Amino acid sequence: MAAKSVGTTVAAGNDISWPQCGSRLPSGQAFGIVGINNGLANTTNTCLAAELTWAATSTGKSAQPKVQVYVNTANPGGLNAASWPISNIDPSGFDTTTNMTNPYGVCDYSNSAACAWQYGWNRANEDVTQRLASVTTNLASGYIWWLDVETGNTWDATTGGVARNAADLEGMTAYLQGAGATVGLYSTASQWQSIAGTVASGSKLAGLINWLPGARTSSGAKSNCSLTPLTTGGKVTITQYVSNQLDYDYSCI
């Protein structure tokens, strides 16, 4: 199904991921946003290569880059998760205590801000060096990377968990920005508040661009461009609406 025209001059994009594997994909989209993961932060979308190829066929009839990606996020807060970090050593062997990369200090396998930050950094590292690198020679810096922050994934709901969740997302952001990528946030205001709360102006999450879901029509998506950003200094650049069981994305820029 072709992506619909939104307004008079701006065409819509589409976002797809593992649920669209084996399905007929949209056509004529202005831009495409592809999910790196298979629904969880430590999994891989088995159709990633094909879906990146699909995104590259976008018409480019908007101010948005033709190909963008998003990643699932989570913070299991320990919970005996096999992927919970035991130290500041990431999957590539880099020690994030070097040059104080981890602003929260030393990860000791506890449910701490340091380990939450490291968990986020590690997942982003895998997304770039394992998942993306396995299907393309393009560098991470060639894409906008959206952090998909939703209550459907696992988050630390214990005392102080909101701050640790924010640290986790800061770790992902730090890794991706260090790789030269532009990072944005995908969430609704209510989900964001329950997961990460109000972050300080000095946080790496402050000032990031926003992709806001929740609209049911193209006109609603256009209206949502004026919503308050998720963090201080942020900017809403994309909004999402659903039509005929497909996700459409309106460019606010």
Side-chain angles (χ1 to χ4, degrees):
M1 179 175 179
K4 296 180 179 179
S5 174
V6 180
T8 57
T9 60
V10 181
N14 290 103
D15 58 274
I16 62 172
S17 188
W18 62 273
Q20 285 72 46
C21 281
S23 301
R24 182 178 180 181
L25 300 180
S27 62
Q29 70 282 353
F31 58 97
I33 310 176
V34 175
I36 295 283
N37 310 106
N38 200 58
L40 299 175
N42 59 351
T43 61
T44 303
N45 174 7
T46 57
C47 292
L48 180 57
E51 292 182 352
L52 286 173
T53 298
W54 161 83
T57 68
S58 300
T59 65
K61 293 181 179 179
S62 82
Q64 295 290 336
K66 290 171 61 174
V67 184
Q68 304 176 39
V69 297
Y70 76 87
V71 294
N72 290 114
T73 63
N75 175 25
L79 296 180
N80 298 315
S83 53
W84 192 248
I86 62 174
S87 71
N88 291 67
I89 307 298
D90 75 10
S92 298
F94 177 74
D95 186 343
T96 63
T97 57
T98 304
N99 298 320
M100 297 179 67
T101 305
N102 187 330
Y104 296 98
V106 178
C107 170
D108 59 1
Y109 194 57
S110 64
N111 184 18
S112 62
C115 288
W117 187 96
Q118 188 69 44
Y119 179 86
W121 172 284
N122 289 357
R123 299 291 78 73
N125 174 288
E126 292 170 351
D127 288 332
V128 171
T129 64
Q130 298 178 28
R131 299 182 178 99
L132 183 69
S134 70
V135 298
T136 179
T137 58
N138 292 344
L139 300 176
S141 57
Y143 304 97
I144 293 176
W145 289 70
W146 296 98
L147 307 185
D148 184 348
V149 184
E150 299 187 67
T151 54
N153 281 337
T154 301
W155 296 99
D156 185 350
T158 62
T159 301
V162 167
R164 290 188 290 273
N165 292 338
D168 161 79
L169 297 170
E170 289 172 346
M172 296 195 81
T173 300
Y175 181 87
L176 292 169
Q177 289 180 338
T182 297
V183 181
L185 303 173
Y186 172 96
S187 193
T188 63
S190 61
Q191 289 185 96
W192 179 263
Q193 280 300 309
S194 69
I195 292 168
T198 301
V199 300
S201 59
S203 168
K204 277 196 170 290
L205 305 176
L208 297 184
I209 56 176
N210 290 188
W211 170 20
L212 303 183
R216 296 182 178 180
T217 64
S218 59
S219 60
K222 182 177 181 180
S223 177
N224 282 352
C225 289
S226 63
L227 290 175
T228 301
L230 299 170
T231 62
T232 301
K235 180 180 180 180
V236 180
T237 60
I238 300 177
T239 56
Q240 183 190 70
Y241 67 101
V242 180
S243 178
N244 296 324
Q245 298 183 318
L246 285 174
D247 290 341
Y248 288 88
D249 301 299
Y250 177 84
S251 175
C252 301
I253 58 176

